[in-house]
Amino acid sequence: KLKLGFIANFLSKPILIGFLNGIAGILIISQLQKFTGVIVEDSNSIFGLVEFFSNLTMLHFPTLITGISAIIIIKILEKSSSKIPAQFTLIVFSIIATVVFNLEQLGVLLSPEITSPVPTLTIPDISLISGNFSEIFFCSLAILFISYTNQILTARSFSGNKNEVDPNREFYAVGLSDVLCGLFNGYPVCGSGSRTAVNIRSGSNSKLSGILAAGFMLFVILFFSKQFSFIPSAVIGAIIIDAGIGIFNFKEMNVIRKFSKEEYYISLICMAGVLINGVLYGILLSILLSFLMLIKKSSVPEEYEMVFDKKEKILVKRNKENDYMVRKDVLIYRFNSALLFYNCNYFRENLINRVSGRQDIKIVLIDSSSVNYTDITGLNELIDIIRELKEKNVSVSFMFANLDLENKIKSRLKKEKMTYDVFSQNYEQVIEFINMKK
């Protein structure tokens, strides 16, 4: 098991909210042509909106009236009773209206008739794979990455509780679906933002809704393909537009803005990326933003000097109020990140600068509680710092180091024939150690 579902862990909430709002905009833009009769060729980006307004003279009023009427009916049905399947009822009404008012004669476009309802089993030609392996392999990887990312983004964006979404099971589901589609000359599939939005707006609360929807779709395709062609395209567009409007989440965007301007701007960038470049490129932008956020936060993590509060018997961040507690001969330093190749220079610069700024320092205590891991580059930098400070008669000690970090440092110090003082695991040991150094 590759467990590639870990990719989903890099999608933060601001990115999910931005992606979802972008999807909402794309849903609305993609249905403008059906809803109004105005030709919009670029329906998968915000440029389609520009195209829509530039072609507004092509507005077809019977189509627009049909679409607006459909949305009004949806709202009335939803407010009347939550038990009424508003979208399904609307479709039934629209079929009746098409026949009664002869909407096709008024120029209202209808849904295309399903001419080949039964799929045909086809065994893939293996020779095509062997003859074009590299091209098929890399294209398949691209499809896999984009479809799975779209799947997990859609699932987590719409899910009220992200813990309900198992990334690995989603991965298996996409893979199995694509294998089955391949046997019936189908396209690669993944989660659909539009269908999910309509499903949720319809009041679905369980996974059974998807099974019932698939079963009902198969039933309609096999036995009512002719009747399906009586549904006005404007009605389908109205259902999706209503769903798109319903999934805009401005409230959550405002919460993010109040919490962190940086994450708010990232959410806006993600939303703009989906609107400008379309869903697929918006997904890639989302992933890129996630990694950039992660690298930025871990390459320049929070770091500060600490002081020991004798009254409370705890270590606290140094500030103007507790500056009098600082011992001139002791520097207690905290680095809030794993020590890795891309942030170890930042660690060195800040620690050495703090030591250089004080002339009487005899001991440096490094709070290692946040340094849960170090790679070989970080470890080498740490050993160099210890060596450099010892040459200045400043000893370096560690407190609250985990066992793995402690063993790595001890092993290297032993190999370098350098001594060390203490790897304390509680405040009492730290206090005793500091007092011994007076």
Side-chain angles (χ1 to χ4, degrees):
K1 294 182 180 181
L2 297 177
K3 292 190 175 182
L4 296 180
F6 76 92
I7 296 172
N9 296 328
F10 293 95
L11 304 174
S12 66
K13 186 169 185 178
I15 285 175
L16 291 176
I17 296 298
F19 176 81
L20 189 59
N21 286 338
I23 284 288
I26 292 296
L27 289 182
I28 295 170
I29 294 170
S30 67
Q31 302 304 311
L32 287 177
Q33 180 168 330
K34 293 179 181 178
F35 193 78
T36 64
V38 176
I39 294 177
V40 180
E41 294 183 1
D42 187 3
S43 60
N44 293 315
S45 74
I46 199 170
F47 297 111
L49 193 60
V50 178
E51 187 180 353
F52 169 76
F53 284 112
S54 63
N55 295 334
L56 205 55
T57 53
M58 302 171 64
L59 182 66
H60 187 253
F61 284 100
T63 299
L64 178 62
I65 293 171
T66 302
I68 294 175
S69 300
I71 290 183
I72 293 173
I73 292 172
I74 290 175
K75 296 303 181 184
I76 292 174
L77 290 173
E78 286 178 343
K79 289 186 177 181
S80 299
S81 173
S82 59
K83 296 181 180 180
I84 297 176
Q87 287 75 16
F88 177 73
T89 305
L90 170 64
I91 287 175
V92 174
F93 283 166
S94 69
I95 293 174
I96 296 172
T98 299
V99 176
V100 172
F101 298 107
N102 201 5
L103 295 181
E104 190 173 14
Q105 292 297 319
L106 296 175
V108 177
L109 293 178
L110 304 181
S111 299
E113 183 178 350
I114 302 171
T115 55
S116 302
V118 182
T120 305
L121 177 65
T122 304
I123 304 300
D125 187 353
I126 304 300
S127 62
L128 290 176
I129 300 176
S130 59
N132 305 276
F133 178 77
S134 59
E135 182 178 355
I136 292 175
F137 178 74
F138 288 108
C139 287
S140 297
L141 281 181
I143 292 171
L144 168 67
F145 177 77
I146 292 174
S147 62
Y148 171 70
T149 309
N150 181 60
Q151 171 89 3
I152 202 65
L153 270 171
T154 301
R156 284 197 164 178
S157 296
F158 284 95
S159 175
N161 178 11
K162 70 175 184 179
N163 294 324
E164 294 176 354
V165 180
D166 185 335
N168 290 311
R169 290 180 69 86
E170 295 287 334
F171 191 86
Y172 298 149
V174 172
L176 180 60
S177 299
D178 284 340
V179 170
L180 293 176
C181 282
L183 295 175
F184 292 93
N185 286 329
Y187 288 100
V189 299
C190 63
S192 167
S194 59
R195 290 194 298 273
T196 304
V198 171
N199 204 29
I200 290 175
R201 291 285 289 172
S202 300
S204 300
N205 294 314
S206 72
K207 298 174 184 177
L208 184 61
S209 64
I211 298 174
L212 292 176
F216 185 76
M217 186 183 301
L218 181 62
F219 180 75
V220 169
I221 289 173
L222 293 176
F223 301 105
F224 294 96
S225 57
K226 178 65 178 178
Q227 286 78 5
F228 186 84
S229 65
F230 288 110
I231 303 173
S233 295
V235 170
I236 302 296
I239 292 173
I240 296 177
I241 287 174
D242 176 66
I245 294 172
I247 64 176
F248 268 113
N249 200 335
F250 293 112
K251 182 180 179 181
E252 198 65 42
M253 287 285 286
N254 193 42
V255 171
I256 295 171
R257 180 183 63 80
K258 291 179 179 179
F259 178 78
S260 169
K261 286 287 178 31
E262 180 185 33
E263 292 189 282
Y264 174 68
Y265 292 140
I266 287 173
S267 189
L268 287 178
I269 291 172
C270 183
M271 181 174 69
V274 175
L275 288 171
I276 294 173
N277 298 310
V279 176
L280 297 184
Y281 287 105
I283 290 170
L284 296 178
L285 177 62
S286 300
I287 295 294
L288 178 62
L289 282 175
S290 292
F291 279 105
L292 288 177
M293 281 179 62
L294 179 64
I295 292 171
K296 180 183 177 182
K297 289 182 180 298
S298 57
S299 62
V300 189
E302 184 183 23
E303 55 83 36
Y304 49 82
E305 186 177 343
M306 305 179 76
V307 297
F308 181 70
D309 189 328
K310 294 181 180 180
K311 183 178 179 181
E312 300 293 334
K313 294 185 179 181
I314 58 172
L315 289 170
V316 294
K317 185 176 181 179
R318 181 181 177 181
N319 54 45
K320 293 181 181 180
E321 286 73 25
N322 59 29
D323 201 57
Y324 70 92
M325 299 180 184
V326 176
R327 270 186 54 173
K328 293 182 179 180
D329 59 334
V330 177
L331 172 66
I332 306 175
Y333 182 71
R334 181 178 177 88
F335 190 74
N336 281 341
S337 173
L339 193 59
L340 302 168
F341 66 94
Y342 55 82
N343 66 15
C344 59
N345 284 331
Y346 179 77
F347 173 82
R348 160 187 276 277
E349 289 174 5
N350 283 278
L351 180 56
I352 296 300
N353 285 340
R354 291 180 184 278
V355 174
S356 301
R358 290 165 55 181
Q359 303 299 321
D360 301 324
I361 289 181
K362 298 300 180 185
I363 180 170
V364 171
L365 266 175
I366 299 177
D367 182 352
S368 309
S369 54
S370 295
V371 186
N372 56 358
Y373 175 77
T374 183
D375 60 12
I376 186 65
T377 308
L379 182 60
N380 288 339
E381 196 70 62
L382 203 55
I383 299 303
D384 287 342
I385 291 171
I386 295 173
R387 183 185 294 108
E388 181 179 336
L389 291 178
K390 280 188 176 292
E391 290 175 358
K392 298 178 180 179
N393 296 318
V394 177
S395 64
V396 179
S397 298
F398 299 84
M399 54 186 180
F400 318 133
N402 63 46
L403 187 60
D404 179 64
L405 179 63
E406 180 178 337
N407 289 336
K408 285 180 179 178
I409 297 174
K410 283 183 177 180
S411 177
R412 282 297 302 274
L413 289 175
K414 185 177 181 180
K415 185 178 180 181
E416 299 285 339
K417 296 181 180 180
M418 296 169 62
T419 59
Y420 56 87
D421 290 301
V422 64
F423 287 86
S424 306
Q425 295 299 324
N426 57 65
Y427 286 119
E428 287 74 16
Q429 291 180 1
V430 174
I431 297 166
E432 182 181 351
F433 178 71
I434 294 174
N435 290 333
M436 286 173 59
K437 290 293 181 177
K438 281 187 177 180

